[in-house]
Amino acid sequence: GAVVSQHPSRVICKSGTSVKIECRSLDFQATTMFWYRQFPKQSLMLMATSNEGSKATYEQGVEKDKFLINHASLTLSTLTVTSAHPEDSSFYICSAMTGANTEAFFGQGTRLTVV
Amino acid sequence: AQTVTQSQPEMSVQEAETVTLSCTYDTSESDYYLFWYKQPPSRQMILVIRQEAYKQQNATENRFSVNFQKAAKSFSLKISDSQLGDAAMYFCAYRSAQGAQKLVFGQGTRLTINP
């Protein structure tokens, strides 16, 4: 199957700083990428949908100015957590699709800890 | 909006036996996809099985099969000959066949395999 690589797998940052998480489709072009957040022992919560070359669509309640998403190419989407605070600590997962009604492939996730 | 409900937070089964995980969903759409994903301790999301709503035949993948009841909006997963490697969180997910391609996840069921 197709491979989605997420980097870094773990990151610790200080409160007030920004951190960038990358999601790359290694062997296919991803027209659409999704970013999820997962709290401990809970399900995946969709944060936003990004399509290459256009602005991301954020889910209700997700602060677009805090969670900046850029999908600049067909193989790369980035999530930047700006002015991070301890409550932003979580597991973030991306997924990518090649087109409509195709399978979604998931990255391995990034554990963010804000201290 | 579509919702997915998994009413079993935890399930356990003896190795080599069969277990069924339940999932119900709510939608007004007629064309959609349903999925079961597995999330092992590594937290990498793995697609287990996929069902297209227009197909009456239940999907099967080796030891994994589903019971898709469209009228009842039910989509259960049966794991036969359970193996220790099947231990994981299992998420049921819904995706519309039209418009936004985002996945809507259920709350998850933690499956334990007893040796």
Side-chain angles (χ1 to χ4, degrees), chain B residues 35-91:
Chain B
F35 305 85
W36 278 97
Y37 282 92
K38 170 184 177 181
Q39 189 180 41
S42 68
R43 303 192 78 171
Q44 172 72 56
M45 295 290 285
I46 301 166
L47 177 65
V48 175
I49 200 163
R50 159 184 169 145
Q51 175 80 44
E52 290 86 349
Y54 65 85
K55 289 186 177 179
Q56 293 186 335
Q57 188 172 6
N58 290 323
T60 62
E61 285 289 340
N62 300 314
R63 299 183 293 108
F64 299 87
S65 61
V66 298
N67 183 0
F68 173 47
Q69 301 290 326
K70 191 172 184 179
K73 297 179 182 175
S74 170
F75 183 61
S76 61
L77 174 70
K78 185 172 81 171
I79 306 174
S80 304
D81 186 25
S82 298
Q83 299 176 2
L84 294 178
D86 295 333
M89 281 290 290
Y90 285 81
F91 293 100

Side-chain angles (χ1 to χ4, degrees), chain A residues 9-70:
Chain A
S9 57
R10 292 175 179 265
V11 59
I12 300 173
C13 71
K14 291 186 177 181
S15 186
T17 63
S18 296
V19 60
K20 181 184 287 187
I21 302 169
E22 293 186 348
C23 179
R24 294 182 183 272
S25 56
L26 297 186
D27 50 4
F28 68 99
Q29 292 186 328
T31 57
T32 305
M33 288 186 170
F34 303 88
W35 287 95
Y36 297 87
R37 184 173 180 175
Q38 186 178 29
F39 291 102
K41 299 185 179 181
Q42 293 190 26
S43 187
L44 282 71
M45 180 191 77
L46 181 66
M47 299 174 66
T49 302
S50 73
N51 291 293
E52 186 267 339
S54 60
K55 288 185 178 180
T57 301
Y58 290 81
E59 295 298 301
Q60 192 173 7
V62 177
E63 299 176 63
K64 60 180 66 177
D65 293 331
K66 179 165 193 60
F67 298 100
L68 300 179
I69 292 171
N70 185 290

Side-chain angles (χ1 to χ4, degrees), chain B residues 17-49:
Chain B
E17 295 193 346
T18 296
V19 64
T20 299
L21 308 184
S22 301
C23 172
T24 59
Y25 59 95
D26 189 27
T27 184
S28 59
E29 299 176 331
S30 59
D31 196 13
Y32 49 87
Y33 300 88
L34 295 166
F35 305 85
W36 278 97
Y37 282 92
K38 170 184 177 181
Q39 189 180 41
S42 68
R43 303 192 78 171
Q44 172 72 56
M45 295 290 285
I46 301 166
L47 177 65
V48 175
I49 200 163

